[in-house]
Amino acid sequence: MTRLSTLLFAVAIPVAFAAPAIAQEGKTLGTVVNGNTTTIFMAADTSDLDMQKLQVWSDFASQHPDIARALAYKPSLIDNEGYAKNHPELGDFFSAHPDIREAMTENPGNFVAIPPRPGE
């Protein structure tokens, strides 16, 4: 009976702490419990994102996945002229969309994200 009580307590505590976060606006993507720490992953609030810029970048990234992946792992490449020179399609894109380059430099996480590894 003690094990059952402990198990119920272990489940109830994270749920109790997660309830206020779940009540907030946004979709809960997942929850991870590690000891006394509960991490709740929520969908980002897109109200402050320029969705048109994001769509233009997304179109480019889907056509050039290797470039998008490289920028995700190393956002400093966004302002690297040598990288842009070695990848003329990126240089052309940034020439045509300097506002997107500026937005990516300020907040690269809004545009590029490290894709999960297999099994993650």
Side-chain angles (χ1 to χ4, degrees):
M1 189 65 151
T2 304
R3 287 184 138 176
L4 181 59
S5 298
T6 304
L7 178 63
L8 290 175
F9 184 74
V11 171
I13 293 298
V15 170
F17 284 110
I22 292 171
Q24 294 176 4
E25 190 170 317
K27 179 181 175 189
T28 300
L29 301 175
T31 303
V32 175
V33 178
N34 186 6
N36 294 345
T37 304
T38 300
T39 305
I40 300 170
F41 296 92
M42 308 270 309
D45 177 14
T46 59
S47 65
D48 61 343
L49 294 177
D50 185 333
M51 296 307 287
Q52 184 178 2
K53 287 179 186 175
L54 189 58
Q55 183 60 50
V56 171
W57 167 253
S58 181
D59 292 343
F60 175 84
S62 66
Q63 294 171 4
H64 307 283
D66 292 338
I67 292 173
R69 190 175 310 106
L71 295 180
Y73 282 101
K74 193 170 182 184
S76 63
L77 294 175
I78 294 167
D79 283 330
N80 186 314
E81 295 299 327
Y83 186 79
K85 189 178 253 186
N86 289 335
H87 298 85
E89 58 273 28
L90 180 63
D92 293 344
F93 176 82
F94 282 150
S95 292
H97 305 284
D99 54 332
I100 294 177
R101 182 180 196 166
E102 181 180 329
M104 288 178 76
T105 300
E106 289 176 16
N107 295 299
N110 289 347
F111 293 87
V112 294
I114 297 173
R117 294 183 180 116
E120 288 186 330

